[in-house]
Amino acid sequence: KAGVTQTPRYLIKTRGQQVTLSCSPISGHRSVSWYQQTPGQGLQFLFEYFSETQRNKGNFPGRFSGRQFSNSRSEMNVSTLELGDSALYLCASSLGLAGGRAYTQYFGPGTRLTVL
Amino acid sequence: GDSVTQMEGPVTLSEEAFLTINCTYTATGYPSLFWYVQYPGEGLQLLLKATKADDKGSNKGFEATYRKETTSFHLEKGSVQVSDSAVYFCALSVPSGNTGKLIFGQGTTLQVKP
């Protein structure tokens, strides 16, 4: 089974621009979560989607948004980029929840975003 | 709130040495616990997991036991190799409502020297 794929792998943008990152989950997985990884803040949860619905959102400004399509692929968008948005953005997929327990999340290779 | 604390790195060991990376957690519910590993330039790979107290997760010679009484999930390996050099993250998942986001520790860098 193919793993989680993310495109593009690398992006360079300038302040004020917007960016869209894409994530294709493992086949059969309906839950997609996004995380931001920076040297200063570590790994932080952005949001989670399940069956095209956002189920949870982390503590990030409204410039960060996402969506999920009917085939479970997900995109996240960051508008009005700031220097501090430079980070590795990781997508993870899972089967979701069952019996009150979360299924394991499997991560993609990430998209490295650099904001100049 | 829920949180994970890992020992500070970097940890530098010689090949074939014994490894322990400490991880403790705070959680309001009954979390599942995970260790993920990140190699340079890559995403996170699941190393092992445990879903309830006293469970032992194991993979590739690594082990960790879910200790509810000490709220710990320490990672161990009997004999490390140079190829084990990476950043190791302890994480928990406490399902809340219908979501199960991961909360990570700050990561511990392991460097193994030949």
Side-chain angles (χ1 to χ4, degrees), chain A residues 59-77:
Chain A
N59 190 24
F60 279 82
R63 300 184 297 106
F64 291 82
S65 62
R67 60 178 174 167
Q68 187 180 33
F69 302 94
S70 58
N71 61 358
S72 295
R73 190 178 69 85
S74 177
E75 290 181 347
M76 67 163 282
N77 183 277

Side-chain angles (χ1 to χ4, degrees), chain B residues 42-70:
Chain B
E42 298 184 12
L44 301 178
Q45 295 179 24
L46 176 68
L47 185 57
L48 52 84
K49 68 177 183 180
T51 58
K52 61 183 187 297
D54 299 325
D55 268 2
K56 178 187 279 190
S58 61
N59 185 28
K60 299 180 182 178
F62 291 91
E63 293 183 340
T65 301
Y66 186 22
R67 301 283 188 203
K68 190 167 182 287
E69 64 276 11
T70 54

Side-chain angles (χ1 to χ4, degrees), chain A residues 77-92:
Chain A
N77 183 277
V78 188
S79 62
T80 320
L81 284 165
E82 301 177 359
L83 295 178
D85 297 333
S86 294
L88 181 66
Y89 289 88
L90 292 162
C91 164

Side-chain angles (χ1 to χ4, degrees), chain A residues 9-10 33 35 37 42-45 48 55-58 88 90 97 100-110, chain B residues 30-32 34 36 38 41-46 49 51-52 66 89 93 95 97-102 104-105:
Chain A
R9 292 292 311 276
Y10 302 91
S33 298
Y35 297 83
Q37 185 178 22
L43 281 153
Q44 294 186 287
F45 172 78
E48 178 192 2
R55 295 202 299 192
N56 198 0
K57 191 177 192 306
L88 181 66
L90 292 162
L97 279 176
R101 289 256 168 221
Y103 285 102
T104 299
Q105 294 187 29
Y106 296 91
F107 285 79
Chain B
Y30 298 95
S32 296
F34 305 85
Y36 284 87
Q38 186 174 37
E42 298 184 12
L44 301 178
Q45 295 179 24
L46 176 68
K49 68 177 183 180
T51 58
K52 61 183 187 297
Y66 186 22
F89 291 93
S93 172
N98 57 359
T99 183
K101 73 177 184 182
L102 286 168
F104 289 90

